Amino acid sequence: MPSDSTSEADPTPGRVPPADTTSPRRVEVPAARMPGWLDRLGQAHSGLTATLSADAHLVQVRAGDGLQAELTVPFGPLRPGPLDPLAALLDHLARPRRVGLLLVRRGGFAAGVVQSGVLAEARVGTRHVQGRTAAGGWSQKRFARRRLKQTDELCAAATELAVQVLGAATGLDAVLTGGDRRLLAAVLEDKRLARLRPLVAARVLDVADPRRRVLEAAAARCDAVLATLTEQTEDSTR
C-alpha cells in the first residue's frame, strides 16, 4: 500500500464551481446537501444527464453546457433499480447506516461508531513516534531502530483500541478509514478484526493527527460524495 493519503477535497465543501472553471476540481459534498447541490449545478449549467459506471461506484454526469462530473458513491456499489442514477444516488445517501471509523497516523489513533451521521462512540489514543533525522552512520541506525519500535508500539495500541471499539460493535454496515495507509493495513491485519475487512471502504480519508475533534470531523464526512468536475473548454471540442 502507498503511504499517507493525499488531500481529497476542496476547502469549500458543497460549493458549486463558478462557470469559468477550466481544470478539474474536486469538491466534497455532505449527503444532506446533495439534493440542493445537484439542483444548483443543473440550474447553473443548463441541466444534467447521468449514467452509472460499469462497476457502479461512480455516477457520471454531463451538463447541457459541457461540464462533466464524476460523483463517487459512498459505500457503493449503487443499485439503481428502475431509478435514474441521480435519483438512485440520493435514495442511497438517505439510507441510515452504522459505520465504523478507524483513523491512524504516527501522531495518534482513534476509533468510533457513527450511527445515522452521529458519533455514537469515540475513543482516541496517542503514542510518540519520532520524526525523521538527517543524522548518518550509527546514529541513523539507532534512530531507525527506535523509530521502528515506536511505530510497532503505536500499531499495537491502535489495534487494541480498534478491537475494543470496532471489534465489539454490532450491526456495522461499513468501515471507513483515514490517515496512513500502511499503518491502517497493519492494524487491520489483526485476526480479531478479520470480520471487518470485507466492510472496509476503498476511500481513505485525509486527516490530521487523530484527536476527538478530528474523529468528529471524520464522522461528519462519512457519507459525503466526492465530485470531480471538469469544464468543457474550447480546445477540448476541436
Side-chain angles (χ1 to χ4, degrees), residues 130 136-148:
Q130 282 186 281
W138 286 107
S139 294
Q140 176 65 35
K141 292 178 181 179
R142 285 196 300 271
F143 167 80
R145 288 195 298 269
R146 185 164 58 248
R147 192 168 190 263
L148 179 60

Side-chain angles (χ1 to χ4, degrees), residues 9 28 67 90 103 115 145 170 230:
E28 187 175 272
L67 175 128
L90 295 180
L103 311 179
Q115 179 72 50
R145 288 195 298 269
T170 58
T230 308

Side-chain angles (χ1 to χ4, degrees), residues 4 104-109 126-132 142-160 180-187:
D4 294 354
V104 185
R105 284 174 55 93
R106 295 189 187 277
F109 47 90
T126 59
R127 285 292 187 279
H128 176 67
V129 177
Q130 282 186 281
R132 300 189 181 277
R142 285 196 300 271
F143 167 80
R145 288 195 298 269
R146 185 164 58 248
R147 192 168 190 263
L148 179 60
K149 180 177 182 292
Q150 292 170 346
T151 299
D152 289 343
E153 290 172 349
L154 179 142
C155 284
T159 299
E160 291 305 317
D180 186 306
R181 292 173 182 262
R182 278 197 287 254
L183 297 179
L184 288 164
V187 170

Side-chain angles (χ1 to χ4, degrees), residues 59-77:
V59 175
Q60 298 161 323
V61 177
R62 188 175 183 88
D65 65 357
L67 175 128
Q68 297 180 34
E70 288 189 340
L71 311 178
T72 61
V73 179
F75 312 123

Side-chain angles (χ1 to χ4, degrees), residues 5-6 15 18 20 23 36 43 47 63 72 99 104 108 114 131 135 141 165 168 194 196 199 201 206 220-221 235 238:
S5 56
T6 56
R15 185 167 68 88
D20 62 353
S23 59
Q43 292 170 11
T72 61
V99 180
V104 185
V114 182
K141 292 178 181 179
V165 177
L196 299 180
L199 302 178
D206 179 39
R221 298 169 62 194
D235 287 344
R238 292 177 183 175

Side-chain angles (χ1 to χ4, degrees), residues 4 8 15 31 35 44 49 92 101 115-116 118-119 124 130 175 177-178 180 207 210 221 226:
D4 294 354
E8 60 180 23
R15 185 167 68 88
T49 58
H92 177 82
L101 266 178
Q115 179 72 50
S116 300
V118 177
L119 190 61
V124 298
Q130 282 186 281
V175 174
T177 61
D180 186 306
V207 296
R221 298 169 62 194
L226 294 180

Side-chain angles (χ1 to χ4, degrees), residues 13 25 49 52-53 61 66 73 76 78 83 122 131-133 147 153 184 187 204 209 215 220 228:
R25 293 185 60 205
T49 58
L52 188 61
S53 65
V61 177
V73 179
L78 181 65
L83 296 176
R132 300 189 181 277
T133 179
R147 192 168 190 263
E153 290 172 349
L184 288 164
V187 170
V204 177
D209 288 343
L215 189 63
T228 302

